[in-house]
Amino acid sequence: EAGVAQSPRYKIIEKRQSVAFWCNPISGHATLYWYQQILGQGPKLLIQFQNNGVVDDSQLPKDRFSAERLKGVDSTLKIQPAKLEDSAVYLCASSYGDTQYFGPGTRLTVL
Amino acid sequence: AQSVTQLDSHVSVSEGTPVLLRCNYSSSYSPSLFWYVQHPNKGLQLLLKYTSAATLVKGINGFEAEFKKSETSFHLTKPSAHMSDAAEYFCVVSEGRGFQKLVFGTGTRLLVSP
């Protein structure tokens, strides 16, 4: 069974630029999550989708972050404009039942 | 709100000796608890989970954890460390029912020396 796929794996941008990350969940998983993991910290949930509807986006900085999950499968997370403090690993996860499966993450560096 | 506290940011052991990674949780409900491992440049991998069944939970790679409600603890153990166990370990509590929200601890880095 293929795991959660994410791209790109690494991204370096300058502040005020925009960036987008892509996630393809495990086939059949209705729930998809985006997490932000800042160096030295545990992952923090940004947004949770159930199919193509948003379940929880309470910790998403909506003035600069957006996410969508068209057709209830793939998802994209966008940051516009990026700030220095957005440097982190962005993790995508999907679940069926009570277990979440994580992708390898995208490491974002904002200069 | 639910939370977890990982009591050690770093734990160092020698290969072949026991591993103990400590975790305490705070929860208003009967929690679901997890341990995840993160190897460098790799995704988070589930080691084991507790979801109100047996209090002693066995996971992959010889790890196990015991849920102790009276102590609000969920410590991770392994009888004999292997070099490949060196990684970051996260204790996680699930918040809510149905649509699951995970709350992660700050992590414990396990160092294994020969």
Side-chain angles (χ1 to χ4, degrees):
Chain A
E1 178 183 85
V4 177
Q6 291 188 247
S7 67
R9 292 294 311 278
Y10 304 91
K11 190 73 177 179
I12 300 174
I13 62 172
E14 296 191 350
K15 60 182 179 183
R16 290 188 289 275
Q17 287 187 325
S18 63
V19 64
F21 313 126
W22 173 82
C23 172
N24 180 238
I26 294 173
S27 178
H29 285 194
T31 313
L32 184 147
Y33 314 77
W34 282 102
Y35 290 84
Q36 180 191 57
Q37 185 177 16
I38 293 173
L39 186 65
Q41 299 181 19
K44 182 186 78 172
L45 180 69
L46 292 175
I47 189 166
Q48 178 180 346
F49 292 93
Q50 178 71 12
N51 296 309
N52 59 350
V54 175
V55 172
D56 183 352
D57 63 357
S58 57
Q59 297 195 84
L60 187 73
K62 298 180 187 63
D63 58 335
R64 297 183 301 106
F65 285 65
S66 64
E68 62 181 8
R69 190 183 184 197
L70 299 176
K71 300 181 182 179
V73 182
D74 293 3
S75 177
T76 56
L77 176 69
K78 297 179 182 179
I79 308 175
Q80 183 179 11
K83 293 185 175 181
L84 296 176
E85 58 262 36
D86 298 332
S87 293
V89 175
Y90 290 85
L91 297 164
C92 180
S94 67
S95 70
Y96 181 81
D98 62 4
T99 300
Q100 294 187 23
Y101 299 86
F102 287 80
T106 297
R107 182 177 299 275
L108 174 67
T109 302
V110 182
L111 303 175
Chain B
Q2 301 186 351
S3 65
V4 289
T5 301
Q6 293 186 243
L7 299 167
D8 307 292
S9 59
H10 293 81
V11 169
S12 294
V13 301
S14 298
E15 191 175 22
T17 63
V19 175
L20 170 63
L21 305 183
R22 298 182 295 165
C23 173
N24 287 105
Y25 69 91
S26 172
S27 173
S28 302
Y29 309 99
S30 296
S32 294
L33 292 159
F34 307 79
W35 277 97
Y36 278 84
V37 61
Q38 188 174 38
H39 290 275
N41 299 315
K42 292 191 177 181
L44 287 154
Q45 181 184 19
L46 179 68
L47 276 179
L48 50 80
K49 63 181 178 182
Y50 166 78
T51 54
S52 74
T55 56
L56 182 62
V57 182
K58 295 189 183 296
I60 62 172
N61 300 334
F63 285 94
E64 62 181 37
E66 186 171 7
F67 174 73
K68 292 186 177 181
K69 186 175 181 178
S70 61
E71 299 176 9
T72 60
S73 69
F74 190 58
H75 301 333
L76 182 70
T77 60
K78 183 173 181 178
S80 176
H82 192 273
M83 294 296 290
S84 60
D85 294 329
E88 188 89 18
Y89 291 80
F90 292 95
C91 183
V92 184
V93 64
S94 172
E95 189 172 276
R97 294 278 182 258
F99 303 130
Q100 183 193 63
K101 178 177 179 178
L102 298 186
V103 177
F104 282 76
T106 52
T108 298
R109 181 165 296 278
L110 176 64
L111 306 170
V112 183
S113 57

